Amino acid sequence: MESRQAVSHKERPAAPVGGAADHEIALQVRVKSGYKLESETEMTARYRDVLVQTMLIAADLELSTITMYYTPLLMAPTLETKMAVASAMQDELGHAQVMYRMLEDFGYNTNQLIFERDPTEFRTFYLTQHEIKDYIQCVVYMLLGDRAGYTTTRDLEEACSFGPYARSLRKVNFEEKFHVAHGERWTRFYWNHSAETRQRVQEAIDFVFPNAVMWFGTPDHMKKRVDQLTYKIRGQSNDELRQRWLAEVVPFCESVGIRVPAHFEPALGRYVLDYQVPILLDEETGKWSDTPCTWEAQFAQWKKGGPTKVSGFQRLQEDHWGADLW
Ligand SMILES: [Fe+2]
Ligand SMILES: [Fe+2]
């Protein structure tokens, strides 16, 4: 398996040369006009690399959510909510399975990817590298975090030029919609339940919101690699996806009464953040900085990763799960 796992942008030429350049351009024109590739034989090496890297990260992200929902599964207050969290975890494993299975067509091995890979090699985002502390934080994660993932996978379903991947995401998105709806329902419930649960919801929002904003990555003007858009693996840019997410979560939160650090700016015709990015999380206190940091500092925090970046996958691989759950 190591041969295919070793595929990376670093090992490929940065740009095609000679006749291959014509081939690349022809492919880019075709996918831009809506053509869907159906097999590996239609791909250029570079297209294949970009697609495989996209699917690998997406699959790892799906798997990482299972590691996050372990604690709230134990702490869910009723049998119904426990079943809902368990069901969402099973969905996420199914999403990961769909994507890892598809990667087998490109030479990968699902068992190796999930159970035999070094836990430090999983590629996830800072948003999914924290333990969810309790059920209220869990439903806020579903409201904001699953909504962020849903925003990404909807774009892939709508736009991805690799037909089999786009079609596989229909089921994934159908289920993500349930996770988001579960988050909305119970966030609203706890907001209106008591002063104590309302405060807990607000604290969870304050913790998760800036992290979900950064799910979509750096602002477009900073992005050096645009291959995903060039090959129409994705349809929308980082900033466009972030706007789409803001346009859904901000009105919902405002309708409930929850404070979020973003608002619609009529003069600009779009949502804007009420703080300047990037900002750092103090992992000891769980509070975000009031003042912006440098991008170098932000990248360093992402590179180091959150507290469960590695330990979550270690626990998953060691199968410390079932006996005490019920
Ligand atoms: Fe998912
Ligand atoms: Fe989900």
Side-chain angles (χ1 to χ4, degrees), residues 138-293:
C138 173
V139 296
V140 168
Y141 255 101
M142 286 173 145
L143 171 76
L144 301 178
D146 282 74
R147 170 73 77 179
Y150 182 44
T151 304
T152 303
T153 50
R154 260 185 304 170
D155 177 63
L156 288 166
E157 182 192 341
E158 291 162 3
C160 185
S161 56
F162 183 49
Y165 189 39
R167 291 191 294 275
S168 76
L169 292 167
R170 182 174 294 183
K171 176 181 185 293
V172 169
N173 287 327
F174 186 81
E175 290 168 346
E176 286 303 343
K177 198 172 174 182
F178 279 97
H179 306 170
V180 174
H182 183 84
E184 288 182 347
R185 176 191 164 86
W186 287 99
T187 298
R188 190 190 294 274
F189 171 84
Y190 284 116
W191 184 260
N192 293 307
H193 182 62
S194 71
E196 188 188 339
T197 58
R198 175 174 295 200
Q199 184 186 342
R200 189 73 195 98
V201 168
Q202 188 62 58
E203 287 169 358
I205 294 276
D206 294 345
F207 176 72
V208 179
F209 193 96
N211 215 342
V213 166
M214 293 318 297
W215 168 272
F216 302 100
T218 53
D220 287 354
H221 68 84
M222 290 181 62
K223 221 170 144 51
K224 296 190 183 84
R225 304 192 70 88
V226 292
D227 278 340
Q228 285 181 320
L229 296 174
T230 307
Y231 289 115
K232 215 174 165 195
I233 307 293
R234 283 165 54 184
Q236 292 188 295
S237 70
N238 290 3
D239 285 343
E240 287 169 335
L241 291 173
R242 196 170 4 247
Q243 272 298 311
R244 190 172 180 178
W245 177 82
L246 285 167
E248 291 170 350
V249 298
V250 174
F252 173 82
C253 290
E254 288 175 343
S255 75
V256 175
I258 298 167
R259 296 184 304 281
V260 286
H263 67 280
F264 185 73
E265 188 60 58
L268 298 172
R270 61 182 170 85
Y271 285 86
V272 295
L273 299 174
D274 298 336
Y275 60 94
Q276 191 181 332
V277 294
I279 54 173
L280 291 179
L281 178 70
D282 182 333
E283 291 177 1
E284 292 293 316
T285 64
K287 305 284 185 205
W288 293 88
S289 166
D290 292 331
T291 52
C293 63

Side-chain angles (χ1 to χ4, degrees), residues 23 28 32 37 54 72 80 100 103 138 148 164 168 186 245 256 272 303 311:
H23 196 44
Q28 290 168 16
K32 282 224 172 70
L37 286 74
T54 301
E80 286 88 347
Y100 288 128
L103 283 160
C138 173
S168 76
W186 287 99
W245 177 82
V256 175
V272 295
K303 187 171 182 194
S311 63

